Amino acid sequence: DAGVIQSPRHEVTEMGQEVTLRCKPISGHNSLFWYRQTMMRGLELLIYFNNNVPIDDSGMPEDRFSAKMPNASFSTLKIQPSEPRDSAVYFCASSFIIGGGRETQYFGPGTRLLVL
Amino acid sequence: DQQVKQNSPSLSVQEGRISILNCDYTNSMFDYFLWYKKYPAEGPTFLISISSIKDKNEDGRFTVFLNKSAKHLSLHIVPSQPGDSAVYFCAASSNAGGTSYGKLTFGQGTILTVHP
């Protein structure tokens, strides 16, 4: 049974370039989360989708960041233009939420992004 | 503003001894607490949780204690094993304010090293 799949696993790019991170959630899950991990701030929620609809994007840092979920099996996180301070590990997680907020979130392996 | 704090960046323990990882929170609306474990190059995986109506939850070698008055929780691992060496994240959520999806707020993580 495949878990959450993320690609690429590593990305090195130059400042100003567009970066697109991809995520395939666990089949049957109705919720998807994008997180960013940095040494200073730990794991931060960027955006939450439920049934492909963005519900909470309050964690998205600024307009350079955008996320989409065109269908239940695919989501992207785009940074344009990228900046060195965007360097971090980006995780995607999925869950099957039926209400109550106690459902386990399952994380992908992450994408390590380095912006030079 | 870090609502969930793990003040110890690292902890080193001898195999067979007890590991105690600590976490403090500031938001009194948090009513559900979790610990996630993360190995290098992998995503975080759920370890154990506790609801605010309890003060202790045990699962095998892992026990989580919650002190609501002190806004403090801890994870005890007994006995510690070298395979427990990982980064441990504390997380908290609240169902207040309509966030029924259980938005998780994470701490910065504590690196646990268990020496043989």
Side-chain angles (χ1 to χ4, degrees), chain A residues 9 33 35 37 43 45 48 56 58 91 97 100-102 104-105 107-109, chain B residues 31-32 36 38 41-44 46 89 93 95 100-104 106 108:
Chain A
R9 294 294 306 274
F33 308 80
Y35 289 89
Q37 182 192 5
L43 271 165
L45 177 66
Y48 159 63
D56 182 355
S58 59
F91 290 101
I97 291 180
R102 303 297 185 243
T104 299
Q105 294 182 24
F107 283 76
Chain B
D31 60 2
Y32 190 61
Y36 275 77
K38 183 185 177 306
E42 295 183 11
F46 170 75
F89 289 97
S93 72
N95 273 340
S100 59
Y101 70 89
K103 177 177 179 177
L104 293 180
F106 283 87
Q108 300 98 317

PDB file of all heavy atoms in Angstrom, chain A residues 9 33 35 37 43 45 48 56 58 91 97 100-102 104-105 107-109, chain B residues 31-32 36 38 41-44 46 89 93 95 100-104 106 108:
ATOM      1  N   ARG A   9      12.396  14.628  -4.795  1.00  0.00           N
ATOM      2  CA  ARG A   9      12.864  14.479  -3.424  1.00  0.00           C
ATOM      3  C   ARG A   9      13.860  15.590  -3.077  1.00  0.00           C
ATOM      4  O   ARG A   9      13.943  16.001  -1.919  1.00  0.00           O
ATOM      5  CB  ARG A   9      13.523  13.114  -3.239  1.00  0.00           C
ATOM      6  CG  ARG A   9      12.579  11.931  -3.362  1.00  0.00           C
ATOM      7  CD  ARG A   9      11.540  11.929  -2.223  1.00  0.00           C
ATOM      8  NE  ARG A   9      12.167  11.991  -0.925  1.00  0.00           N
ATOM      9  CZ  ARG A   9      12.595  10.936  -0.249  1.00  0.00           C
ATOM     10  NH1 ARG A   9      12.467   9.727  -0.768  1.00  0.00           N
ATOM     11  NH2 ARG A   9      13.145  11.088   0.936  1.00  0.00           N
ATOM     12  N   PHE A  33      -2.514  18.247   3.202  1.00  0.00           N
ATOM     13  CA  PHE A  33      -1.831  19.339   3.892  1.00  0.00           C
ATOM     14  C   PHE A  33      -0.451  19.538   3.269  1.00  0.00           C
ATOM     15  O   PHE A  33       0.234  18.580   2.957  1.00  0.00           O
ATOM     16  CB  PHE A  33      -1.629  19.010   5.378  1.00  0.00           C
ATOM     17  CG  PHE A  33      -2.869  18.593   6.113  1.00  0.00           C
ATOM     18  CD1 PHE A  33      -3.361  17.310   6.009  1.00  0.00           C
ATOM     19  CD2 PHE A  33      -3.538  19.502   6.928  1.00  0.00           C
ATOM     20  CE1 PHE A  33      -4.498  16.914   6.693  1.00  0.00           C
ATOM     21  CE2 PHE A  33      -4.678  19.116   7.623  1.00  0.00           C
ATOM     22  CZ  PHE A  33      -5.160  17.821   7.505  1.00  0.00           C
ATOM     23  N   TYR A  35       3.163  21.282   4.409  1.00  0.00           N
ATOM     24  CA  TYR A  35       3.928  21.822   5.534  1.00  0.00           C
ATOM     25  C   TYR A  35       5.316  22.228   5.054  1.00  0.00           C
ATOM     26  O   TYR A  35       5.829  21.711   4.073  1.00  0.00           O
ATOM     27  CB  TYR A  35       4.126  20.769   6.633  1.00  0.00           C
ATOM     28  CG  TYR A  35       2.913  20.404   7.433  1.00  0.00           C
ATOM     29  CD1 TYR A  35       2.069  19.384   7.014  1.00  0.00           C
ATOM     30  CD2 TYR A  35       2.615  21.064   8.621  1.00  0.00           C
ATOM     31  CE1 TYR A  35       0.958  19.028   7.765  1.00  0.00           C
ATOM     32  CE2 TYR A  35       1.514  20.707   9.386  1.00  0.00           C
ATOM     33  CZ  TYR A  35       0.691  19.683   8.944  1.00  0.00           C
ATOM     34  OH  TYR A  35      -0.405  19.323   9.699  1.00  0.00           O
ATOM     35  N   GLN A  37       9.266  22.719   6.782  1.00  0.00           N
ATOM     36  CA  GLN A  37      10.099  22.529   7.964  1.00  0.00           C
ATOM     37  C   GLN A  37      11.391  23.330   7.840  1.00  0.00           C
ATOM     38  O   GLN A  37      12.133  23.196   6.868  1.00  0.00           O
ATOM     39  CB  GLN A  37      10.461  21.053   8.159  1.00  0.00           C
ATOM     40  CG  GLN A  37      11.295  20.809   9.416  1.00  0.00           C
ATOM     41  CD  GLN A  37      11.906  19.424   9.474  1.00  0.00           C
ATOM     42  OE1 GLN A  37      11.810  18.631   8.544  1.00  0.00           O
ATOM     43  NE2 GLN A  37      12.534  19.105  10.589  1.00  0.00           N
ATOM     44  N   LEU A  43       7.991  22.621  12.014  1.00  0.00           N
ATOM     45  CA  LEU A  43       6.995  22.280  10.997  1.00  0.00           C
ATOM     46  C   LEU A  43       5.848  23.276  11.033  1.00  0.00           C
ATOM     47  O   LEU A  43       5.184  23.421  12.050  1.00  0.00           O
ATOM     48  CB  LEU A  43       6.438  20.883  11.254  1.00  0.00           C
ATOM     49  CG  LEU A  43       7.163  19.694  10.632  1.00  0.00           C
ATOM     50  CD1 LEU A  43       6.699  18.407  11.283  1.00  0.00           C
ATOM     51  CD2 LEU A  43       6.920  19.646   9.134  1.00  0.00           C
ATOM     52  N   LEU A  45       2.253  24.567   9.065  1.00  0.00           N
ATOM     53  CA  LEU A  45       1.228  24.282   8.074  1.00  0.00           C
ATOM     54  C   LEU A  45       1.128  25.449   7.094  1.00  0.00           C
ATOM     55  O   LEU A  45       0.992  26.600   7.504  1.00  0.00           O
ATOM     56  CB  LEU A  45      -0.123  24.071   8.749  1.00  0.00           C
ATOM     57  CG  LEU A  45      -1.302  23.827   7.813  1.00  0.00           C
ATOM     58  CD1 LEU A  45      -1.141  22.497   7.078  1.00  0.00           C
ATOM     59  CD2 LEU A  45      -2.618  23.864   8.573  1.00  0.00           C
ATOM     60  N   TYR A  48      -4.271  23.784   3.715  1.00  0.00           N
ATOM     61  CA  TYR A  48      -5.057  22.574   3.941  1.00  0.00           C
ATOM     62  C   TYR A  48      -6.175  22.517   2.915  1.00  0.00           C
ATOM     63  O   TYR A  48      -6.900  23.489   2.723  1.00  0.00           O
ATOM     64  CB  TYR A  48      -5.627  22.588   5.353  1.00  0.00           C
ATOM     65  CG  TYR A  48      -6.837  21.699   5.578  1.00  0.00           C
ATOM     66  CD1 TYR A  48      -6.748  20.324   5.427  1.00  0.00           C
ATOM     67  CD2 TYR A  48      -8.054  22.254   5.952  1.00  0.00           C
ATOM     68  CE1 TYR A  48      -7.857  19.523   5.637  1.00  0.00           C
ATOM     69  CE2 TYR A  48      -9.165  21.459   6.163  1.00  0.00           C
ATOM     70  CZ  TYR A  48      -9.059  20.089   6.007  1.00  0.00           C
ATOM     71  OH  TYR A  48     -10.155  19.290   6.220  1.00  0.00           O
ATOM     72  N   ASP A  56      -7.953  26.269   4.393  1.00  0.00           N
ATOM     73  CA  ASP A  56      -7.172  27.146   5.264  1.00  0.00           C
ATOM     74  C   ASP A  56      -5.820  27.400   4.603  1.00  0.00           C
ATOM     75  O   ASP A  56      -4.992  26.505   4.536  1.00  0.00           O
ATOM     76  CB  ASP A  56      -6.994  26.496   6.634  1.00  0.00           C
ATOM     77  CG  ASP A  56      -6.230  27.378   7.625  1.00  0.00           C
ATOM     78  OD1 ASP A  56      -5.755  28.474   7.227  1.00  0.00           O
ATOM     79  OD2 ASP A  56      -6.094  26.975   8.789  1.00  0.00           O
ATOM     80  N   SER A  58      -4.001  30.166   5.559  1.00  0.00           N
ATOM     81  CA  SER A  58      -3.457  31.242   6.394  1.00  0.00           C
ATOM     82  C   SER A  58      -1.954  31.102   6.627  1.00  0.00           C
ATOM     83  O   SER A  58      -1.294  32.065   7.005  1.00  0.00           O
ATOM     84  CB  SER A  58      -4.179  31.283   7.748  1.00  0.00           C
ATOM     85  OG  SER A  58      -4.043  30.052   8.428  1.00  0.00           O
ATOM     86  N   PHE A  91       6.833  19.196   3.209  1.00  0.00           N
ATOM     87  CA  PHE A  91       6.133  17.931   3.371  1.00  0.00           C
ATOM     88  C   PHE A  91       4.683  18.068   2.919  1.00  0.00           C
ATOM     89  O   PHE A  91       4.028  19.087   3.133  1.00  0.00           O
ATOM     90  CB  PHE A  91       6.138  17.489   4.839  1.00  0.00           C
ATOM     91  CG  PHE A  91       7.480  17.053   5.343  1.00  0.00           C
ATOM     92  CD1 PHE A  91       8.250  17.912   6.111  1.00  0.00           C
ATOM     93  CD2 PHE A  91       7.951  15.782   5.062  1.00  0.00           C
ATOM     94  CE1 PHE A  91       9.489  17.516   6.589  1.00  0.00           C
ATOM     95  CE2 PHE A  91       9.188  15.368   5.537  1.00  0.00           C
ATOM     96  CZ  PHE A  91       9.957  16.252   6.301  1.00  0.00           C
ATOM     97  N   ILE A  97     -10.561  12.716   6.936  1.00  0.00           N
ATOM     98  CA  ILE A  97     -11.178  13.459   8.034  1.00  0.00           C
ATOM     99  C   ILE A  97     -12.687  13.361   7.934  1.00  0.00           C
ATOM    100  O   ILE A  97     -13.290  13.710   6.921  1.00  0.00           O
ATOM    101  CB  ILE A  97     -10.705  14.923   8.001  1.00  0.00           C
ATOM    102  CG1 ILE A  97      -9.221  14.983   8.369  1.00  0.00           C
ATOM    103  CG2 ILE A  97     -11.534  15.777   8.957  1.00  0.00           C
ATOM    104  CD1 ILE A  97      -8.625  16.357   8.377  1.00  0.00           C
ATOM    105  N   GLY A 100     -14.153  16.155  13.864  1.00  0.00           N
ATOM    106  CA  GLY A 100     -13.587  15.961  15.187  1.00  0.00           C
ATOM    107  C   GLY A 100     -12.118  16.276  15.268  1.00  0.00           C
ATOM    108  O   GLY A 100     -11.609  16.570  16.347  1.00  0.00           O
ATOM    109  N   GLY A 101     -11.419  16.192  14.139  1.00  0.00           N
ATOM    110  CA  GLY A 101     -10.027  16.599  14.115  1.00  0.00           C
ATOM    111  C   GLY A 101      -9.072  15.698  14.844  1.00  0.00           C
ATOM    112  O   GLY A 101      -8.011  16.124  15.282  1.00  0.00           O
ATOM    113  N   ARG A 102      -9.409  14.428  14.981  1.00  0.00           N
ATOM    114  CA  ARG A 102      -8.512  13.507  15.680  1.00  0.00           C
ATOM    115  C   ARG A 102      -7.890  12.498  14.723  1.00  0.00           C
ATOM    116  O   ARG A 102      -7.186  11.586  15.154  1.00  0.00           O
ATOM    117  CB  ARG A 102      -9.272  12.760  16.779  1.00  0.00           C
ATOM    118  CG  ARG A 102      -9.939  13.674  17.799  1.00  0.00           C
ATOM    119  CD  ARG A 102      -8.904  14.470  18.549  1.00  0.00           C
ATOM    120  NE  ARG A 102      -9.501  15.272  19.625  1.00  0.00           N
ATOM    121  CZ  ARG A 102      -9.477  16.590  19.667  1.00  0.00           C
ATOM    122  NH1 ARG A 102      -8.939  17.271  18.684  1.00  0.00           N
ATOM    123  NH2 ARG A 102     -10.007  17.243  20.685  1.00  0.00           N
ATOM    124  N   THR A 104      -5.446  10.782  12.085  1.00  0.00           N
ATOM    125  CA  THR A 104      -4.001  10.806  11.889  1.00  0.00           C
ATOM    126  C   THR A 104      -3.649  11.369  10.520  1.00  0.00           C
ATOM    127  O   THR A 104      -4.291  11.047   9.521  1.00  0.00           O
ATOM    128  CB  THR A 104      -3.420   9.391  12.022  1.00  0.00           C
ATOM    129  OG1 THR A 104      -3.691   8.908  13.335  1.00  0.00           O
ATOM    130  CG2 THR A 104      -1.909   9.380  11.784  1.00  0.00           C
ATOM    131  N   GLN A 105      -2.623  12.198  10.488  1.00  0.00           N
ATOM    132  CA  GLN A 105      -2.087  12.692   9.229  1.00  0.00           C
ATOM    133  C   GLN A 105      -0.879  11.830   8.852  1.00  0.00           C
ATOM    134  O   GLN A 105      -0.009  11.572   9.687  1.00  0.00           O
ATOM    135  CB  GLN A 105      -1.674  14.161   9.364  1.00  0.00           C
ATOM    136  CG  GLN A 105      -2.858  15.089   9.608  1.00  0.00           C
ATOM    137  CD  GLN A 105      -2.454  16.539   9.695  1.00  0.00           C
ATOM    138  OE1 GLN A 105      -1.415  16.946   9.158  1.00  0.00           O
ATOM    139  NE2 GLN A 105      -3.266  17.337  10.359  1.00  0.00           N
ATOM    140  N   PHE A 107       2.389  11.495   6.495  1.00  0.00           N
ATOM    141  CA  PHE A 107       3.300  12.384   5.790  1.00  0.00           C
ATOM    142  C   PHE A 107       4.062  11.657   4.681  1.00  0.00           C
ATOM    143  O   PHE A 107       4.405  10.478   4.806  1.00  0.00           O
ATOM    144  CB  PHE A 107       4.327  12.965   6.770  1.00  0.00           C
ATOM    145  CG  PHE A 107       3.792  14.071   7.643  1.00  0.00           C
ATOM    146  CD1 PHE A 107       2.964  13.791   8.708  1.00  0.00           C
ATOM    147  CD2 PHE A 107       4.122  15.392   7.379  1.00  0.00           C
ATOM    148  CE1 PHE A 107       2.466  14.806   9.516  1.00  0.00           C
ATOM    149  CE2 PHE A 107       3.634  16.420   8.171  1.00  0.00           C
ATOM    150  CZ  PHE A 107       2.807  16.121   9.245  1.00  0.00           C
ATOM    151  N   GLY A 108       4.346  12.415   3.634  1.00  0.00           N
ATOM    152  CA  GLY A 108       5.254  11.948   2.612  1.00  0.00           C
ATOM    153  C   GLY A 108       6.693  12.134   3.050  1.00  0.00           C
ATOM    154  O   GLY A 108       6.951  12.681   4.125  1.00  0.00           O
ATOM    155  N   PRO A 109       7.663  11.709   2.218  1.00  0.00           N
ATOM    156  CA  PRO A 109       9.079  11.783   2.592  1.00  0.00           C
ATOM    157  C   PRO A 109       9.663  13.192   2.502  1.00  0.00           C
ATOM    158  O   PRO A 109      10.762  13.434   2.987  1.00  0.00           O
ATOM    159  CB  PRO A 109       9.754  10.857   1.585  1.00  0.00           C
ATOM    160  CG  PRO A 109       8.857  10.895   0.396  1.00  0.00           C
ATOM    161  CD  PRO A 109       7.464  11.040   0.940  1.00  0.00           C
TER     162      PRO A 109
ATOM    163  N   ASP B  31      -6.678  21.106  22.790  1.00  0.00           N
ATOM    164  CA  ASP B  31      -7.324  20.041  23.543  1.00  0.00           C
ATOM    165  C   ASP B  31      -6.910  18.649  23.088  1.00  0.00           C
ATOM    166  O   ASP B  31      -7.488  17.642  23.532  1.00  0.00           O
ATOM    167  CB  ASP B  31      -8.844  20.191  23.490  1.00  0.00           C
ATOM    168  CG  ASP B  31      -9.387  20.145  22.066  1.00  0.00           C
ATOM    169  OD1 ASP B  31      -8.589  19.960  21.125  1.00  0.00           O
ATOM    170  OD2 ASP B  31     -10.609  20.295  21.895  1.00  0.00           O
ATOM    171  N   TYR B  32      -5.945  18.588  22.193  1.00  0.00           N
ATOM    172  CA  TYR B  32      -5.480  17.297  21.710  1.00  0.00           C
ATOM    173  C   TYR B  32      -4.014  17.433  21.380  1.00  0.00           C
ATOM    174  O   TYR B  32      -3.606  18.418  20.741  1.00  0.00           O
ATOM    175  CB  TYR B  32      -6.279  16.896  20.471  1.00  0.00           C
ATOM    176  CG  TYR B  32      -6.068  15.481  20.000  1.00  0.00           C
ATOM    177  CD1 TYR B  32      -6.377  14.393  20.805  1.00  0.00           C
ATOM    178  CD2 TYR B  32      -5.592  15.226  18.706  1.00  0.00           C
ATOM    179  CE1 TYR B  32      -6.199  13.103  20.352  1.00  0.00           C
ATOM    180  CE2 TYR B  32      -5.407  13.940  18.258  1.00  0.00           C
ATOM    181  CZ  TYR B  32      -5.720  12.871  19.084  1.00  0.00           C
ATOM    182  OH  TYR B  32      -5.551  11.585  18.647  1.00  0.00           O
ATOM    183  N   TYR B  36       5.012  12.978  17.113  1.00  0.00           N
ATOM    184  CA  TYR B  36       5.415  12.381  15.857  1.00  0.00           C
ATOM    185  C   TYR B  36       6.908  12.107  15.944  1.00  0.00           C
ATOM    186  O   TYR B  36       7.663  12.837  16.581  1.00  0.00           O
ATOM    187  CB  TYR B  36       5.145  13.324  14.684  1.00  0.00           C
ATOM    188  CG  TYR B  36       3.738  13.265  14.119  1.00  0.00           C
ATOM    189  CD1 TYR B  36       2.678  13.882  14.774  1.00  0.00           C
ATOM    190  CD2 TYR B  36       3.484  12.602  12.928  1.00  0.00           C
ATOM    191  CE1 TYR B  36       1.397  13.829  14.246  1.00  0.00           C
ATOM    192  CE2 TYR B  36       2.203  12.551  12.385  1.00  0.00           C
ATOM    193  CZ  TYR B  36       1.174  13.161  13.050  1.00  0.00           C
ATOM    194  OH  TYR B  36      -0.093  13.104  12.527  1.00  0.00           O
ATOM    195  N   LYS B  38      10.411  11.239  13.570  1.00  0.00           N
ATOM    196  CA  LYS B  38      10.924  11.417  12.214  1.00  0.00           C
ATOM    197  C   LYS B  38      12.346  10.890  12.098  1.00  0.00           C
ATOM    198  O   LYS B  38      13.241  11.353  12.809  1.00  0.00           O
ATOM    199  CB  LYS B  38      10.875  12.893  11.816  1.00  0.00           C
ATOM    200  CG  LYS B  38      11.329  13.142  10.386  1.00  0.00           C
ATOM    201  CD  LYS B  38      11.388  14.604  10.077  1.00  0.00           C
ATOM    202  CE  LYS B  38      11.917  14.830   8.662  1.00  0.00           C
ATOM    203  NZ  LYS B  38      13.198  14.190   8.397  1.00  0.00           N
ATOM    204  N   ALA B  41      15.504  11.670   6.166  1.00  0.00           N
ATOM    205  CA  ALA B  41      15.039  11.434   4.800  1.00  0.00           C
ATOM    206  C   ALA B  41      13.657  10.789   4.742  1.00  0.00           C
ATOM    207  O   ALA B  41      13.258  10.254   3.699  1.00  0.00           O
ATOM    208  CB  ALA B  41      16.032  10.590   4.005  1.00  0.00           C
ATOM    209  N   GLU B  42      12.930  10.815   5.855  1.00  0.00           N
ATOM    210  CA  GLU B  42      11.563  10.318   5.864  1.00  0.00           C
ATOM    211  C   GLU B  42      10.643  11.394   6.414  1.00  0.00           C
ATOM    212  O   GLU B  42      11.090  12.347   7.060  1.00  0.00           O
ATOM    213  CB  GLU B  42      11.441   9.054   6.728  1.00  0.00           C
ATOM    214  CG  GLU B  42      12.216   7.864   6.198  1.00  0.00           C
ATOM    215  CD  GLU B  42      11.996   6.630   7.040  1.00  0.00           C
ATOM    216  OE1 GLU B  42      11.095   6.642   7.910  1.00  0.00           O
ATOM    217  OE2 GLU B  42      12.730   5.645   6.851  1.00  0.00           O
ATOM    218  N   GLY B  43       9.344  11.221   6.188  1.00  0.00           N
ATOM    219  CA  GLY B  43       8.394  12.136   6.786  1.00  0.00           C
ATOM    220  C   GLY B  43       8.073  11.736   8.214  1.00  0.00           C
ATOM    221  O   GLY B  43       8.335  10.617   8.637  1.00  0.00           O
ATOM    222  N   PRO B  44       7.519  12.654   8.985  1.00  0.00           N
ATOM    223  CA  PRO B  44       7.109  12.328  10.358  1.00  0.00           C
ATOM    224  C   PRO B  44       6.046  11.235  10.362  1.00  0.00           C
ATOM    225  O   PRO B  44       5.196  11.176   9.470  1.00  0.00           O
ATOM    226  CB  PRO B  44       6.531  13.648  10.878  1.00  0.00           C
ATOM    227  CG  PRO B  44       7.106  14.702   9.996  1.00  0.00           C
ATOM    228  CD  PRO B  44       7.258  14.064   8.651  1.00  0.00           C
ATOM    229  N   PHE B  46       3.165   9.278  12.988  1.00  0.00           N
ATOM    230  CA  PHE B  46       2.436   9.405  14.256  1.00  0.00           C
ATOM    231  C   PHE B  46       2.922   8.368  15.257  1.00  0.00           C
ATOM    232  O   PHE B  46       3.122   7.196  14.915  1.00  0.00           O
ATOM    233  CB  PHE B  46       0.942   9.228  13.990  1.00  0.00           C
ATOM    234  CG  PHE B  46       0.119   9.113  15.237  1.00  0.00           C
ATOM    235  CD1 PHE B  46      -0.148  10.227  16.007  1.00  0.00           C
ATOM    236  CD2 PHE B  46      -0.373   7.887  15.640  1.00  0.00           C
ATOM    237  CE1 PHE B  46      -0.903  10.114  17.159  1.00  0.00           C
ATOM    238  CE2 PHE B  46      -1.123   7.760  16.779  1.00  0.00           C
ATOM    239  CZ  PHE B  46      -1.389   8.878  17.550  1.00  0.00           C
ATOM    240  N   PHE B  89       8.710  15.261  17.330  1.00  0.00           N
ATOM    241  CA  PHE B  89       7.940  16.498  17.267  1.00  0.00           C
ATOM    242  C   PHE B  89       6.713  16.388  18.158  1.00  0.00           C
ATOM    243  O   PHE B  89       5.973  15.407  18.102  1.00  0.00           O
ATOM    244  CB  PHE B  89       7.469  16.782  15.840  1.00  0.00           C
ATOM    245  CG  PHE B  89       8.553  17.187  14.886  1.00  0.00           C
ATOM    246  CD1 PHE B  89       9.139  16.257  14.042  1.00  0.00           C
ATOM    247  CD2 PHE B  89       8.983  18.503  14.825  1.00  0.00           C
ATOM    248  CE1 PHE B  89      10.140  16.624  13.156  1.00  0.00           C
ATOM    249  CE2 PHE B  89       9.985  18.883  13.942  1.00  0.00           C
ATOM    250  CZ  PHE B  89      10.563  17.940  13.109  1.00  0.00           C
ATOM    251  N   SER B  93      -3.556  20.486  18.810  1.00  0.00           N
ATOM    252  CA  SER B  93      -4.660  20.958  17.983  1.00  0.00           C
ATOM    253  C   SER B  93      -5.834  21.373  18.858  1.00  0.00           C
ATOM    254  O   SER B  93      -5.910  21.033  20.042  1.00  0.00           O
ATOM    255  CB  SER B  93      -5.111  19.886  16.987  1.00  0.00           C
ATOM    256  OG  SER B  93      -5.793  18.852  17.652  1.00  0.00           O
ATOM    257  N   ASN B  95     -10.264  22.139  18.529  1.00  0.00           N
ATOM    258  CA  ASN B  95     -11.476  22.140  17.731  1.00  0.00           C
ATOM    259  C   ASN B  95     -12.260  23.428  17.883  1.00  0.00           C
ATOM    260  O   ASN B  95     -13.335  23.567  17.353  1.00  0.00           O
ATOM    261  CB  ASN B  95     -12.375  20.966  18.102  1.00  0.00           C
ATOM    262  CG  ASN B  95     -12.009  19.739  17.302  1.00  0.00           C
ATOM    263  OD1 ASN B  95     -11.385  19.839  16.264  1.00  0.00           O
ATOM    264  ND2 ASN B  95     -12.387  18.587  17.784  1.00  0.00           N
ATOM    265  N   SER B 100     -12.505  22.339  12.577  1.00  0.00           N
ATOM    266  CA  SER B 100     -12.871  20.965  12.878  1.00  0.00           C
ATOM    267  C   SER B 100     -11.949  19.954  12.240  1.00  0.00           C
ATOM    268  O   SER B 100     -12.087  18.772  12.479  1.00  0.00           O
ATOM    269  CB  SER B 100     -14.309  20.712  12.415  1.00  0.00           C
ATOM    270  OG  SER B 100     -14.400  20.946  11.021  1.00  0.00           O
ATOM    271  N   TYR B 101     -11.020  20.427  11.401  1.00  0.00           N
ATOM    272  CA  TYR B 101     -10.115  19.469  10.786  1.00  0.00           C
ATOM    273  C   TYR B 101      -8.911  19.175  11.649  1.00  0.00           C
ATOM    274  O   TYR B 101      -8.090  18.359  11.285  1.00  0.00           O
ATOM    275  CB  TYR B 101      -9.667  19.968   9.411  1.00  0.00           C
ATOM    276  CG  TYR B 101      -8.736  21.167   9.397  1.00  0.00           C
ATOM    277  CD1 TYR B 101      -7.359  20.991   9.447  1.00  0.00           C
ATOM    278  CD2 TYR B 101      -9.221  22.462   9.312  1.00  0.00           C
ATOM    279  CE1 TYR B 101      -6.496  22.075   9.402  1.00  0.00           C
ATOM    280  CE2 TYR B 101      -8.375  23.549   9.268  1.00  0.00           C
ATOM    281  CZ  TYR B 101      -7.002  23.356   9.298  1.00  0.00           C
ATOM    282  OH  TYR B 101      -6.160  24.440   9.248  1.00  0.00           O
ATOM    283  N   GLY B 102      -8.828  19.780  12.822  1.00  0.00           N
ATOM    284  CA  GLY B 102      -7.737  19.464  13.718  1.00  0.00           C
ATOM    285  C   GLY B 102      -6.405  19.985  13.245  1.00  0.00           C
ATOM    286  O   GLY B 102      -5.425  19.245  13.181  1.00  0.00           O
ATOM    287  N   LYS B 103      -6.364  21.254  12.938  1.00  0.00           N
ATOM    288  CA  LYS B 103      -5.118  21.882  12.506  1.00  0.00           C
ATOM    289  C   LYS B 103      -4.026  21.634  13.531  1.00  0.00           C
ATOM    290  O   LYS B 103      -4.207  21.887  14.717  1.00  0.00           O
ATOM    291  CB  LYS B 103      -5.346  23.377  12.333  1.00  0.00           C
ATOM    292  CG  LYS B 103      -4.110  24.169  11.947  1.00  0.00           C
ATOM    293  CD  LYS B 103      -4.470  25.628  11.743  1.00  0.00           C
ATOM    294  CE  LYS B 103      -3.249  26.444  11.370  1.00  0.00           C
ATOM    295  NZ  LYS B 103      -3.612  27.852  11.092  1.00  0.00           N
ATOM    296  N   LEU B 104      -2.898  21.106  13.072  1.00  0.00           N
ATOM    297  CA  LEU B 104      -1.792  20.787  13.969  1.00  0.00           C
ATOM    298  C   LEU B 104      -0.783  21.929  14.020  1.00  0.00           C
ATOM    299  O   LEU B 104      -0.371  22.442  12.982  1.00  0.00           O
ATOM    300  CB  LEU B 104      -1.082  19.513  13.509  1.00  0.00           C
ATOM    301  CG  LEU B 104      -1.878  18.210  13.603  1.00  0.00           C
ATOM    302  CD1 LEU B 104      -1.032  17.032  13.117  1.00  0.00           C
ATOM    303  CD2 LEU B 104      -2.343  17.966  15.026  1.00  0.00           C
ATOM    304  N   PHE B 106       2.983  22.455  15.396  1.00  0.00           N
ATOM    305  CA  PHE B 106       4.128  21.640  15.793  1.00  0.00           C
ATOM    306  C   PHE B 106       5.172  22.459  16.542  1.00  0.00           C
ATOM    307  O   PHE B 106       5.328  23.666  16.326  1.00  0.00           O
ATOM    308  CB  PHE B 106       4.807  21.041  14.555  1.00  0.00           C
ATOM    309  CG  PHE B 106       4.090  19.877  13.950  1.00  0.00           C
ATOM    310  CD1 PHE B 106       3.095  20.074  13.007  1.00  0.00           C
ATOM    311  CD2 PHE B 106       4.422  18.582  14.298  1.00  0.00           C
ATOM    312  CE1 PHE B 106       2.437  19.000  12.429  1.00  0.00           C
ATOM    313  CE2 PHE B 106       3.773  17.492  13.721  1.00  0.00           C
ATOM    314  CZ  PHE B 106       2.772  17.707  12.787  1.00  0.00           C
ATOM    315  N   GLN B 108       9.464  22.644  17.434  1.00  0.00           N
ATOM    316  CA  GLN B 108      10.630  22.631  16.561  1.00  0.00           C
ATOM    317  C   GLN B 108      11.304  21.260  16.479  1.00  0.00           C
ATOM    318  O   GLN B 108      12.124  21.028  15.610  1.00  0.00           O
ATOM    319  CB  GLN B 108      11.674  23.657  17.031  1.00  0.00           C
ATOM    320  CG  GLN B 108      11.180  25.089  17.048  1.00  0.00           C
ATOM    321  CD  GLN B 108      10.748  25.492  18.434  1.00  0.00           C
ATOM    322  OE1 GLN B 108      10.078  24.742  19.145  1.00  0.00           O
ATOM    323  NE2 GLN B 108      11.125  26.687  18.833  1.00  0.00           N
TER     324      GLN B 108
END
